[in-house]
Amino acid sequence: METKAVRRLIRKKLNDGRLMPRFWGVAGNSERCVACDATISKEELVMKGIASTPSNKKPIQFHVVCFQLLHRPPA
């Protein structure tokens, strides 16, 4: 997925409360990235966190690149 499109999705999810900025890194396990919707392979590092919405207590996960887009200011 294009960097600008992923950045827009992340910002939208931050603005509507689906994401919060507390995460940790672990080995991937074929999870789906919440930013780009692609699978995070077992060979990749996954950044995990807890969504800020009270109804969703399941951890969310990002590719490292998608996670970096979350914290990098727009170009």
Side-chain angles (χ1 to χ4, degrees), residues 3-4 8 13 16 21 24 26-27 31 36-37 45 49-50 59 63-64 66 69 75:
T3 299
K4 288 182 182 181
R8 282 192 302 271
K13 291 176 182 185
D16 68 19
W24 59 95
V26 296
E31 298 99 332
C36 72
D37 294 323
L45 179 66
I50 303 294
H63 288 103
V64 172
C66 294
L69 291 173

mmCIF file of all heavy atoms in Angstrom, residues 3-4 8 13 16 21 24 26-27 31 36-37 45 49-50 59 63-64 66 69 75:
data_model
loop_
_atom_site.group_PDB
_atom_site.id
_atom_site.type_symbol
_atom_site.label_atom_id
_atom_site.label_comp_id
_atom_site.label_asym_id
_atom_site.label_seq_id
_atom_site.Cartn_x
_atom_site.Cartn_y
_atom_site.Cartn_z
ATOM 1 N N THR A 3 2.529 4.779 0.827
ATOM 2 C CA THR A 3 2.832 5.427 2.105
ATOM 3 C C THR A 3 1.800 6.487 2.474
ATOM 4 O O THR A 3 1.323 6.528 3.609
ATOM 5 C CB THR A 3 4.243 6.062 2.051
ATOM 6 O OG1 THR A 3 5.192 5.035 1.823
ATOM 7 C CG2 THR A 3 4.569 6.791 3.329
ATOM 8 N N LYS A 4 1.429 7.330 1.544
ATOM 9 C CA LYS A 4 0.464 8.404 1.845
ATOM 10 C C LYS A 4 -0.898 7.833 2.229
ATOM 11 O O LYS A 4 -1.568 8.345 3.122
ATOM 12 C CB LYS A 4 0.328 9.359 0.659
ATOM 13 C CG LYS A 4 1.541 10.235 0.477
ATOM 14 C CD LYS A 4 1.342 11.204 -0.668
ATOM 15 C CE LYS A 4 2.583 12.049 -0.864
ATOM 16 N NZ LYS A 4 2.420 13.013 -1.950
ATOM 17 N N ARG A 8 -2.800 8.250 5.854
ATOM 18 C CA ARG A 8 -4.179 8.746 5.990
ATOM 19 C C ARG A 8 -5.028 7.801 6.831
ATOM 20 O O ARG A 8 -5.805 8.235 7.686
ATOM 21 C CB ARG A 8 -4.815 8.948 4.612
ATOM 22 C CG ARG A 8 -4.375 10.211 3.909
ATOM 23 C CD ARG A 8 -5.240 10.519 2.693
ATOM 24 N NE ARG A 8 -5.248 9.460 1.709
ATOM 25 C CZ ARG A 8 -4.381 9.354 0.702
ATOM 26 N NH1 ARG A 8 -3.432 10.251 0.548
ATOM 27 N NH2 ARG A 8 -4.462 8.353 -0.153
ATOM 28 N N LYS A 13 -7.748 6.618 11.993
ATOM 29 C CA LYS A 13 -7.961 5.720 13.134
ATOM 30 C C LYS A 13 -7.530 6.370 14.445
ATOM 31 O O LYS A 13 -8.141 6.135 15.484
ATOM 32 C CB LYS A 13 -7.244 4.392 12.897
ATOM 33 C CG LYS A 13 -7.892 3.597 11.776
ATOM 34 C CD LYS A 13 -7.137 2.327 11.453
ATOM 35 C CE LYS A 13 -7.786 1.590 10.306
ATOM 36 N NZ LYS A 13 -7.148 0.311 10.035
ATOM 37 N N ASP A 16 -10.399 8.891 15.332
ATOM 38 C CA ASP A 16 -11.678 8.333 15.799
ATOM 39 C C ASP A 16 -11.513 7.422 17.017
ATOM 40 O O ASP A 16 -12.444 6.766 17.456
ATOM 41 C CB ASP A 16 -12.443 7.636 14.676
ATOM 42 C CG ASP A 16 -11.798 6.360 14.159
ATOM 43 O OD1 ASP A 16 -10.943 5.775 14.858
ATOM 44 O OD2 ASP A 16 -12.168 5.937 13.052
ATOM 45 N N PRO A 21 -1.130 5.472 21.520
ATOM 46 C CA PRO A 21 0.308 5.446 21.252
ATOM 47 C C PRO A 21 1.156 4.577 22.184
ATOM 48 O O PRO A 21 2.322 4.833 22.351
ATOM 49 C CB PRO A 21 0.696 6.915 21.393
ATOM 50 C CG PRO A 21 -0.279 7.459 22.361
ATOM 51 C CD PRO A 21 -1.557 6.706 22.123
ATOM 52 N N TRP A 24 4.424 -2.239 21.902
ATOM 53 C CA TRP A 24 5.621 -3.034 22.169
ATOM 54 C C TRP A 24 5.888 -3.892 20.953
ATOM 55 O O TRP A 24 4.997 -4.145 20.150
ATOM 56 C CB TRP A 24 5.446 -3.881 23.433
ATOM 57 C CG TRP A 24 4.288 -4.840 23.379
ATOM 58 C CD1 TRP A 24 4.324 -6.155 23.013
ATOM 59 C CD2 TRP A 24 2.924 -4.561 23.677
ATOM 60 N NE1 TRP A 24 3.065 -6.706 23.067
ATOM 61 C CE2 TRP A 24 2.184 -5.739 23.486
ATOM 62 C CE3 TRP A 24 2.234 -3.415 24.090
ATOM 63 C CZ2 TRP A 24 0.798 -5.812 23.667
ATOM 64 C CZ3 TRP A 24 0.864 -3.494 24.283
ATOM 65 C CH2 TRP A 24 0.169 -4.693 24.076
ATOM 66 N N VAL A 26 7.240 -7.493 19.111
ATOM 67 C CA VAL A 26 7.414 -8.942 19.274
ATOM 68 C C VAL A 26 7.585 -9.571 17.892
ATOM 69 O O VAL A 26 7.374 -8.921 16.881
ATOM 70 C CB VAL A 26 6.199 -9.595 19.998
ATOM 71 C CG1 VAL A 26 6.055 -9.074 21.407
ATOM 72 C CG2 VAL A 26 4.915 -9.390 19.232
ATOM 73 N N ALA A 27 7.926 -10.845 17.871
ATOM 74 C CA ALA A 27 8.023 -11.572 16.602
ATOM 75 C C ALA A 27 6.640 -11.700 15.976
ATOM 76 O O ALA A 27 5.642 -11.879 16.679
ATOM 77 C CB ALA A 27 8.611 -12.953 16.841
ATOM 78 N N GLU A 31 -0.196 -12.069 11.858
ATOM 79 C CA GLU A 31 -1.267 -11.134 12.192
ATOM 80 C C GLU A 31 -1.543 -10.213 11.007
ATOM 81 O O GLU A 31 -0.751 -10.128 10.086
ATOM 82 C CB GLU A 31 -0.870 -10.250 13.396
ATOM 83 C CG GLU A 31 -0.630 -10.998 14.663
ATOM 84 C CD GLU A 31 0.837 -11.264 14.939
ATOM 85 O OE1 GLU A 31 1.629 -11.367 13.989
ATOM 86 O OE2 GLU A 31 1.176 -11.397 16.112
ATOM 87 N N CYS A 36 -2.358 -1.130 7.114
ATOM 88 C CA CYS A 36 -2.414 -1.442 5.676
ATOM 89 C C CYS A 36 -3.218 -2.697 5.351
ATOM 90 O O CYS A 36 -3.438 -3.005 4.190
ATOM 91 C CB CYS A 36 -1.007 -1.565 5.114
ATOM 92 S SG CYS A 36 -0.130 -3.055 5.642
ATOM 93 N N ASP A 37 -3.649 -3.436 6.364
ATOM 94 C CA ASP A 37 -4.451 -4.655 6.217
ATOM 95 C C ASP A 37 -3.709 -5.848 5.618
ATOM 96 O O ASP A 37 -4.317 -6.861 5.321
ATOM 97 C CB ASP A 37 -5.736 -4.401 5.424
ATOM 98 C CG ASP A 37 -6.686 -3.478 6.162
ATOM 99 O OD1 ASP A 37 -6.758 -3.584 7.411
ATOM 100 O OD2 ASP A 37 -7.347 -2.649 5.510
ATOM 101 N N LEU A 45 9.093 -8.290 12.420
ATOM 102 C CA LEU A 45 8.773 -7.801 13.755
ATOM 103 C C LEU A 45 7.401 -7.135 13.683
ATOM 104 O O LEU A 45 7.079 -6.463 12.703
ATOM 105 C CB LEU A 45 9.817 -6.780 14.201
ATOM 106 C CG LEU A 45 9.615 -6.154 15.571
ATOM 107 C CD1 LEU A 45 9.769 -7.211 16.669
ATOM 108 C CD2 LEU A 45 10.607 -5.028 15.791
ATOM 109 N N GLY A 49 -0.173 -3.173 20.254
ATOM 110 C CA GLY A 49 -0.713 -2.206 21.195
ATOM 111 C C GLY A 49 -2.159 -2.534 21.506
ATOM 112 O O GLY A 49 -2.729 -3.469 20.950
ATOM 113 N N ILE A 50 -2.752 -1.760 22.373
ATOM 114 C CA ILE A 50 -4.148 -1.941 22.738
ATOM 115 C C ILE A 50 -4.940 -0.759 22.190
ATOM 116 O O ILE A 50 -4.578 0.395 22.416
ATOM 117 C CB ILE A 50 -4.323 -2.028 24.272
ATOM 118 C CG1 ILE A 50 -3.472 -3.149 24.850
ATOM 119 C CG2 ILE A 50 -5.792 -2.176 24.647
ATOM 120 C CD1 ILE A 50 -3.859 -4.535 24.432
ATOM 121 N N PRO A 59 -5.381 -6.907 21.336
ATOM 122 C CA PRO A 59 -4.245 -6.115 20.844
ATOM 123 C C PRO A 59 -4.334 -5.864 19.344
ATOM 124 O O PRO A 59 -4.838 -6.692 18.587
ATOM 125 C CB PRO A 59 -3.036 -6.993 21.164
ATOM 126 C CG PRO A 59 -3.493 -7.901 22.243
ATOM 127 C CD PRO A 59 -4.957 -8.129 21.986
ATOM 128 N N HIS A 63 2.868 -3.468 10.943
ATOM 129 C CA HIS A 63 4.210 -3.679 10.405
ATOM 130 C C HIS A 63 5.081 -2.584 11.012
ATOM 131 O O HIS A 63 4.581 -1.507 11.345
ATOM 132 C CB HIS A 63 4.233 -3.467 8.879
ATOM 133 C CG HIS A 63 3.585 -4.529 8.089
ATOM 134 N ND1 HIS A 63 2.335 -4.374 7.540
ATOM 135 C CD2 HIS A 63 4.025 -5.764 7.735
ATOM 136 C CE1 HIS A 63 2.037 -5.470 6.874
ATOM 137 N NE2 HIS A 63 3.028 -6.329 6.978
ATOM 138 N N VAL A 64 6.373 -2.815 11.131
ATOM 139 C CA VAL A 64 7.270 -1.793 11.671
ATOM 140 C C VAL A 64 7.210 -0.533 10.806
ATOM 141 O O VAL A 64 7.141 0.582 11.316
ATOM 142 C CB VAL A 64 8.716 -2.327 11.793
ATOM 143 C CG1 VAL A 64 9.678 -1.219 12.153
ATOM 144 C CG2 VAL A 64 8.771 -3.443 12.824
ATOM 145 N N CYS A 66 4.728 0.573 8.928
ATOM 146 C CA CYS A 66 3.452 1.253 9.161
ATOM 147 C C CYS A 66 3.453 1.948 10.521
ATOM 148 O O CYS A 66 2.950 3.062 10.663
ATOM 149 C CB CYS A 66 2.292 0.265 9.061
ATOM 150 S SG CYS A 66 2.051 -0.403 7.404
ATOM 151 N N LEU A 69 5.294 5.159 10.285
ATOM 152 C CA LEU A 69 4.468 6.200 9.654
ATOM 153 C C LEU A 69 3.564 6.879 10.680
ATOM 154 O O LEU A 69 3.273 8.057 10.584
ATOM 155 C CB LEU A 69 3.620 5.608 8.526
ATOM 156 C CG LEU A 69 4.370 5.150 7.299
ATOM 157 C CD1 LEU A 69 3.421 4.436 6.338
ATOM 158 C CD2 LEU A 69 5.049 6.320 6.618
ATOM 159 N N ALA A 75 5.332 14.397 5.248
ATOM 160 C CA ALA A 75 6.339 15.097 4.421
ATOM 161 C C ALA A 75 5.710 16.247 3.661
ATOM 162 O O ALA A 75 4.555 16.320 3.438
ATOM 163 C CB ALA A 75 6.975 14.116 3.450
#
